[in-house]
Structure formats: structure tokens, C-alpha cells
Amino acid sequence: RARPVVTVNAHLILNPMIVNPDNKTCQLPVSQLLVACFTVRVCADFEGQSISDKIVLKGELQLDSLKQKGAVKRTLFFDYHQSHHYFSIVIERQKQVHCQDFLVYLRDETEFRDKLSPININFNYSLDESSFEDSLTVKPILNYYQKNSLSEQAYILVDCGEDNLCIPDLQLSAVPDTDQLIIGEENCVMLIINPRNDGEGAYEAELHIKIPPEADYTGVERNNKALRVLSCDYKMENETRMVVCDLGNPMVAGANFSTGIRFSVQHFENADFSINFELQIKSSNKINSTSNLVNLHINISAVAQVQIRGVSHPPTIILPLHNWEPKDEPTKEEEVGPLVEHIYELHNIGPSAINNTVLHVGWPVSKREEFLLYILHIQTHGPLHCQTSSPINTMQIKFAVPQDTPELAAFLYNSTISHYIRRRDVAVAEPHRKNSPKILNCTNVKCVLISCTVGQLERGKSAALKIRSRLWAQTFLERKNELYSLSSNVSFEVKSMPYKVQPAKLPEGSIAIRTSVIWSTPNVSFEIPLWVIILAILLGLLVLALLTLALWKCGFFDRARPPQDDMADRQQLTNNKTTDA
């Protein structure tokens, strides 16, 4: 309380307070660039009792002080190119005002975006105690009840009328280029966006797009001249994925244009029946800073085309079998009869995936306790698990199972299979139309039901089932010349798809694969002796000679001439006689 109190009257004056960025009257000494500038004046005087006539103040000026640390400072000191400056103010005597000027310039508009918020200039001061005489036992102190800091604000001139206050009228509309997304398709979506400003300039105007979890930002449309190309960045805001696009600084009054933003939608694991994009324009204006909020909904659907196809290999069995004799109790598969393989493929054409599918095969195995097609082995390919309604190969017939059959590989990779039929020197008897083959299927013979569950099949994937069997030849040889068609019935039903979205009707279908059993008639072939051939040739030549002689005797080979030719010959003969005479 005993220390002398110094009361300082300080002032901070800006000239001008509104800076026109287009009025570039100052030239930087090094770069020679013209910049807009203004003056910051600091003035101070003091009074007090029991103090000397001269004091020194330590001053600190901070430009654009409201900007956080690391942010771009819009103004710098002309002489120092810094936004912070320390200096001293020497006041010679009491109640005498001392002023000091500092030239400050505005950075180029390309170096910052904020043009609306004020440029805050802060001035702090304190006593320089080192300037007092050491003989003073009690050194002066600043007035405790008076602030030792001042601040003023400068503004950047904007095109907002006389009040320098911009009130925009931001409007936003948007439509997607598709109203339906199909799971499994490429699903590239472009949002055609139309931002406009029906009011005054909107500063730091940005388009904010909230990306749904199912989508990914891929870029800006650049191939359409009718759409403006914007500068957009991908950002994360509080774990929310955003696309932020620059609309201009300012987005001038009357701005109205269209742009295209592209997204790829592929993540449908937890997708509902639609995805939602949220769009809005935001600016730094104090009034009407945002546009209307736009919500775009795009529906999601699951569609899969599933095909069941099959083949019999071979498609036809020709009886009787060459060099084959039946056995009462066969032990090897060759002793049963010819090999018959059926291959079925469940193919997902797509585009969506399927799962939880059931596949049923009805296989004609016997009739009246006589075997028809005797199953030896069931082979699967892909996510397929099968079981039979009754045991197979009950007679324990030995068979060989190749690891990879060419028939199955050809069917899977080529979608069709070239049926190889072993040809013999027999001619197939043409059946009469009245003698049509008897169809043997699950409606009139005993069948084994093969039930399979199929796992998830993506687009273009397949699951295949191969049944290796033998035609029980003894059953058919006992019914000579009777034609049969052995038919297996295959059906499938898709129970669900691996998405929350399910189609109104799930795929299903069925086919019948037939193996025909027909009979042949043997070729009647015999060898002709050589002497018969020679005798036939000689007889032929003799007949030809006799025929030629008979024709010659009849005058067939005499030349018949016209009458004019005879008169000409006679005239020529007369002329020759006259010449001789």
C-alpha cells in the first residue's frame, strides 16, 4: 500500500477500421507485392504522486488475437512479418500524451478463408521497473483498479451493402441418378446437387454431405460439362464420415449451379431397406448461415436369379452290351452294367447372394424289387452337404472314385458337357412312334430321396452334385426290345438371403434329367470271295463286247450324211475328171 501508484491512460486507434482488400496501397519491401494495409496507433499518458516525471511502459501488440494457436493470422506487421510485437513506450512527463504508430498489412485472400469475423487487435502494457532509479526504496506500481489491456477490432470490407453485414439466402436441392440399389451390383451413385444463393454473399460457404455406412466417397463428376467441378475433401467429424466441398468465398449473390458427387455403395451386411444421404450448405455468416437440410433416400433390394441345370452322362444306353454277361451276385461295378452319371449344378447368376438353400433329388432306384439305377457314390462340389433317405450301395459293390472327374469339371467350367458315347459296330433300330419309351420316375417306381443343404453362394458361384451309378443291366435284358427313359427329378428352394432386405419371392425351380435305354439291331456283314469279284468283272466285259458287236452289225456306227454333202462330192469328182482329160 505504500508504493506510489501510476495511473496510465492508454488508447488504441485503428485507421481505417474497415480494410478494403482491393485497395492495395502498400508494397512489401522484399517480394514487392502490393497489399492492403492500415495503421495501429498506440497512445498513452500517465499521472500519479511521488513519482518521477518519466516512466517507461513495456507494450505488447497481438494481431488477430482471437484466432487459435496454429490458425492462419490474417494480418501481420509490415516491418516484422509477424503477428506479435513487443516494444517500449517512453513518456517524458505527466499528462503528456505519447503515441506510436505501427503499419499492419492484410494477407492475400488466397491465404485465408475467414473474411467475416473481425480482426481483433490486443494491446497489453506494464511498467518497466528497470527504468526507475535504484535509489528509490519503494518503486511505483500500476493502478490496480485499472485494466492494463485494450483491444479494438478491424473488419474486412465485403460486398454486403452499407452495413457491411451479409445476409445470404442459401437454398439446396439434390437428386440421385438412381432410385434403386440392387445388392451385388456395382452400385455407383451420383448425387446431382443444386446449391444456390438468393441473398447476399455467403462467406466460407461449404457443402456438407453425411455419408451413410453403406457408401464410400469416390470423387467429383468431371466428364459432364453441365456440372461444375468442386474441390471436395473427405473428413471425419465426431466419428461421422463427411464430404465437404468448397462453394466459394464468398458464394456470391445469385449463385446457382449444379454439381455431381459420386459414391460407391457396397456394404450391405447391415443395410436396411434404404440408405440416407444428408446434405446442407454451411457458411460463416452470422445470419442465415445455413441452408435447408436435404435428406436423400435410395431404396435397396435383393434380387438373385438362380438356375438349376443337369446332364446325364451318357444320355443313352444301348442294349445289348458287347461282350458282357450278367452275374447273379456282382461284386465289381463293371459286373453290374454300364456307368451312368448324373451331374446337377445350382448356379447363382446373381446379382445378390443366396444362402440357406435346399436341394432335393428323386432317384429311380428300383421297381418290383429289381434294381434300375444302382447308386455307388455321391460326390459334391462347393458348399453342399447331402444325405439320403435310405442307405446306398447296400450290396457293397467295389468301385473306384476318381479325385477330379473331367465330366464334372467340364460341366462346371463350360456350363455344358460334351456327351461321350462309346460307339460300337451296331446300328440303332429306329423305334416306331407307337413304341414310345416307358418313363420311369418317382411317380411309378421306388426312389431314393437325396436332400442337400447349400451354403452361401455369391454371384457367379455354383454348387454341384454328381451321382455315380450303374444301370442294372440284368433288369432290362430280361425285357428285350422294350424302351425305357429313367428320369431323376431335381428341385431347389432358396429359403433366405444373407441380408436384412429380403425379396418378395425367393427363387425356386425344378428339372428332370433322363437317361434313355434303347435296343440295337446287329449289322449283317459278310465277306465276298475274290473269285466272285473277278468273275463278275469278266462277265461284265463280255456283255459289253457282245452289245458293241450287235450295234456295229446293225449299222449303228455308220455315218449318215445330209444330201447337199453328196451333191458337193459328185461335183468335185467331175471337176477332177475334166482336169485329167
Side-chain angles (χ1 to χ4, degrees):
R1 293 181 180 179
R3 296 175 68 177
V5 177
V6 177
T7 301
V8 176
N9 298 314
H11 305 278
L12 186 62
I13 303 169
L14 307 181
N15 185 30
M17 293 187 65
I18 299 177
V19 183
N20 185 357
D22 296 328
N23 186 20
K24 299 180 180 181
T25 57
C26 299
Q27 187 176 32
L28 295 177
V30 178
S31 62
Q32 304 298 315
L33 290 176
L34 291 175
V35 292
C37 57
F38 61 98
T39 301
V40 177
R41 172 169 287 187
V42 177
C43 296
D45 64 78
F46 76 96
E47 58 181 336
Q49 296 180 356
S50 302
I51 57 176
S52 61
D53 290 338
K54 177 182 177 182
I55 65 169
V56 178
L57 298 177
K58 292 192 294 184
E60 177 189 10
L61 271 176
Q62 295 178 349
L63 304 181
D64 215 357
S65 60
L66 295 181
K67 290 293 182 182
Q68 296 179 355
K69 186 177 181 181
V72 176
K73 303 289 186 177
R74 293 169 289 179
T75 52
L76 300 174
F77 287 102
F78 186 84
D79 295 326
Y80 314 110
H81 303 291
Q82 299 290 331
S83 61
H84 209 98
H85 181 57
Y86 295 95
F87 60 97
S88 297
I89 302 175
V90 180
I91 305 176
E92 297 293 341
R93 56 181 179 272
Q94 295 191 37
K95 297 183 180 180
Q96 181 179 356
V97 178
H98 177 79
C99 294
Q100 197 165 338
D101 291 340
F102 300 93
L103 190 61
V104 175
Y105 72 92
L106 184 69
R107 279 183 161 179
D108 191 86
E109 293 179 89
T110 58
E111 299 182 48
F112 64 91
R113 290 181 53 81
D114 182 12
K115 298 180 181 180
L116 290 182
S117 64
I119 301 172
N120 194 78
I121 298 175
N122 195 46
F123 170 56
N124 300 317
Y125 62 88
S126 62
L127 280 176
D128 186 1
E129 297 184 2
S130 63
S131 63
F132 296 114
E133 298 178 2
D134 294 336
S135 59
L136 293 176
T137 56
V138 181
K139 295 183 179 180
I141 191 174
L142 286 176
N143 190 343
Y144 181 80
Y145 300 102
Q146 192 177 31
K147 292 183 179 181
N148 64 340
S149 64
L150 298 172
S151 64
E152 291 290 344
Q153 292 180 337
Y155 297 87
I156 299 175
L157 180 64
V158 290
D159 186 15
C160 298
E162 295 180 357
D163 58 359
N164 204 44
L165 179 64
C166 284
I167 303 177
D169 183 9
L170 298 172
Q171 301 293 327
L172 181 64
S173 62
V175 292
D177 63 347
T178 180
D179 59 354
Q180 187 78 21
L181 297 174
I182 300 177
I183 300 176
E185 291 285 9
E186 191 173 340
N187 289 327
C188 293
V189 178
M190 181 172 69
L191 304 184
I192 302 174
I193 306 167
N194 174 230
R196 70 179 191 272
N197 182 12
D198 296 335
E200 296 178 309
Y203 285 82
E204 296 184 78
E206 293 177 335
L207 172 64
H208 288 243
I209 306 174
K210 183 180 178 181
I211 308 174
E214 299 81 3
D216 293 305
Y217 169 66
T218 57
V220 180
E221 174 60 32
R222 301 178 183 275
N223 298 324
N224 192 334
K225 294 182 180 179
L227 301 177
R228 180 181 294 184
V229 178
L230 298 182
S231 175
C232 299
D233 294 315
Y234 172 83
K235 295 182 179 180
M236 288 287 293
E237 295 182 2
N238 299 326
E239 298 184 357
T240 300
R241 299 185 304 154
M242 303 285 294
V243 173
V244 180
C245 302
D246 182 17
L247 298 179
N249 191 24
M251 183 181 180
V252 298
N256 186 356
F257 57 89
S258 295
T259 187
I261 309 297
R262 289 195 169 274
F263 297 89
S264 175
V265 185
Q266 298 294 334
H267 312 294
F268 293 102
E269 292 80 8
N270 300 312
D272 290 322
F273 291 93
S274 66
I275 63 171
N276 181 51
F277 290 89
E278 291 185 5
L279 302 90
Q280 191 175 32
I281 301 174
K282 297 182 180 181
S283 69
S284 60
N285 296 60
K286 292 183 178 180
I287 303 176
N288 291 352
S289 61
T290 60
S291 70
N292 56 301
L293 182 65
V294 175
N295 285 290
L296 290 182
H297 298 278
I298 306 177
N299 295 327
I300 298 174
S301 63
V303 177
Q305 182 181 353
V306 183
Q307 182 185 54
I308 182 71
R309 52 192 179 183
V311 67
S312 172
H313 179 76
T316 304
I317 299 294
I318 304 172
L319 297 179
L321 302 175
H322 183 63
N323 294 331
W324 185 87
E325 294 294 335
K327 290 190 177 182
D328 294 336
E329 295 183 359
T331 58
K332 298 179 181 180
E333 62 174 317
E334 295 83 4
E335 299 172 354
V336 174
L339 178 67
V340 176
E341 293 179 325
H342 281 200
I343 303 173
Y344 316 105
E345 182 191 30
L346 187 69
H347 180 67
N348 182 16
I349 300 175
S352 304
I354 60 172
N355 65 352
N356 192 17
T357 304
V358 292
L359 180 72
H360 296 293
V361 179
W363 185 266
V365 64
S366 65
K367 183 179 181 180
R368 298 174 184 174
E369 303 303 325
E370 293 180 305
F371 287 117
L372 301 175
L373 288 175
Y374 185 85
I375 300 179
L376 297 171
H377 179 70
I378 296 176
Q379 181 182 356
T380 61
H381 181 278
L384 194 66
H385 302 281
C386 301
Q387 59 184 6
T388 59
S389 59
S390 60
I392 61 174
N393 194 15
T394 55
M395 299 186 68
Q396 301 295 319
I397 294 177
K398 297 179 181 180
F399 63 92
V401 180
Q403 295 295 325
D404 188 12
T405 59
E407 298 86 0
L408 180 59
F411 188 75
L412 291 175
Y413 297 125
N414 300 327
S415 301
T416 58
I417 183 168
S418 56
H419 301 144
Y420 174 75
I421 302 175
R422 180 174 296 173
R423 299 188 178 276
R424 297 180 293 156
D425 295 330
V426 292
V428 178
E430 292 292 335
H432 299 288
R433 292 186 178 180
K434 293 182 180 181
N435 190 18
S436 59
K438 297 178 182 179
I439 298 176
L440 303 180
N441 56 26
C442 294
T443 62
N444 52 20
V445 300
K446 182 181 177 181
C447 282
V448 170
L449 180 62
I450 304 171
S451 300
C452 304
T453 58
V454 186
Q456 183 164 321
L457 290 179
E458 299 290 341
R459 179 181 189 176
K461 298 298 182 180
S462 300
L465 171 66
K466 177 183 176 182
I467 301 176
R468 180 184 177 90
S469 71
R470 288 277 175 170
L471 181 77
W472 202 272
Q474 180 65 26
T475 302
F476 297 91
L477 290 175
E478 292 175 356
R479 295 162 178 83
K480 190 172 183 180
N481 294 327
E482 290 189 15
L483 307 180
Y484 292 95
S485 178
L486 301 168
S487 177
S488 64
N489 301 319
V490 189
S491 64
F492 76 93
E493 183 181 359
V494 178
K495 297 294 185 180
S496 65
M497 292 185 174
Y499 317 107
K500 288 184 178 180
V501 181
Q502 297 291 319
K505 181 175 176 57
L506 290 166
E508 59 182 11
S510 63
I511 58 170
I513 304 301
R514 294 182 178 181
T515 302
S516 300
V517 178
I518 62 176
W519 290 78
S520 64
T521 57
N523 280 337
V524 180
S525 59
F526 54 89
E527 184 178 354
I528 302 174
L530 180 61
W531 67 269
V532 175
I533 298 175
I534 297 173
L535 181 60
I537 294 173
L538 293 175
L539 289 176
L541 293 175
L542 179 61
V543 171
L544 179 61
L546 293 174
L547 180 62
T548 304
L549 179 62
L551 291 175
W552 177 72
K553 288 292 185 178
C554 295
F556 179 78
F557 298 105
D558 290 341
R559 183 178 182 185
R561 297 183 178 181
Q564 292 182 357
D565 293 342
D566 294 341
M567 292 299 295
D569 291 341
R570 290 176 183 176
Q571 184 67 33
Q572 182 66 31
L573 184 58
T574 303
N575 293 335
N576 291 338
K577 290 180 178 180
T578 305
T579 303
D580 293 339

